[in-house]
Amino acid sequence: MNNYLLSIILLCAVVNGQDNNQEEYYKNGNLKYSHIITDAGEVIKEYYKNGQLKYHKNDPQKTIEKYYKSGQLSYVKSIENNAKHEEFYDRDGHLTIVLINDRISFSVYETGLIKKDHNHHEHEHGHGHGHGHHH
């Protein structure tokens, strides 16, 4: 029996041996995936290779969170009193859109806090897009 098949069999035995918990790891040793089943529901966490949390689903709390690779929060969904509440964030951590039961309750684009014209803005690296420079 080759080593690959043996490792698959052992992995299945380890996963099945843990009652309600599953974990996977990256080759670098960082946790990749965690799945816990409780009486109140499941809790799932996925991680980026760099160790930062990528996705967190918590059934007992009725929440879902998604994160950028930097660790910055990108999305939150929660359900309270049968109302679905969703928040979307940009890479800098600024709240951009809020949905309540799939209807926009707040949009940074509608409030004018962020201008939609992206051709004449300045970047942190000191240039705008209107002068022929292409990314």
Side-chain angles (χ1 to χ4, degrees):
M1 185 180 322
N2 64 30
N3 287 338
Y4 178 74
L5 186 58
L6 183 61
S7 64
I8 295 295
I9 291 170
L10 289 175
L11 180 64
C12 290
V14 169
V15 168
N16 290 331
Q18 299 169 349
D19 290 65
N20 294 318
N21 300 337
Q22 293 179 349
E23 289 183 344
E24 283 182 46
Y25 292 86
Y26 287 105
K27 287 181 182 178
N28 66 11
N30 286 343
L31 186 61
K32 179 179 184 180
Y33 175 83
S34 166
H35 183 199
I36 300 168
I37 299 174
T38 68
D39 291 337
E42 62 183 4
V43 177
I44 297 172
K45 291 182 180 179
E46 293 178 23
Y47 297 86
Y48 289 103
K49 202 177 248 184
N50 67 7
Q52 292 287 349
L53 187 61
K54 179 180 187 178
Y55 174 85
H56 181 201
K57 177 183 177 186
N58 188 325
D59 282 348
Q61 295 181 358
K62 297 182 181 169
T63 60
I64 292 176
E65 299 171 348
K66 295 180 183 179
Y67 296 84
Y68 292 107
K69 212 172 206 172
S70 65
Q72 190 69 48
L73 186 64
S74 72
Y75 171 79
V76 177
K77 175 182 167 184
S78 60
I79 298 174
E80 293 180 34
N81 302 322
N82 294 324
K84 182 168 65 168
H85 183 93
E86 296 173 279
E87 297 177 356
F88 297 83
Y89 296 86
D90 67 14
R91 293 186 182 276
D92 296 322
H94 300 111
L95 181 65
T96 57
I97 297 174
V98 175
L99 299 177
I100 298 177
N101 290 330
D102 299 322
R103 298 187 68 137
I104 294 175
S105 129
F106 169 80
S107 171
V108 74
Y109 305 104
E110 290 177 2
T111 61
L113 295 174
I114 294 180
K115 294 179 180 161
K116 290 183 182 178
D117 181 12
H118 295 291
N119 291 326
H120 296 94
H121 69 281
E122 291 291 320
H123 282 287
E124 292 174 10
H125 50 270
H127 70 270
H129 287 271
H131 59 78
H133 178 82
H134 300 289
H135 286 274

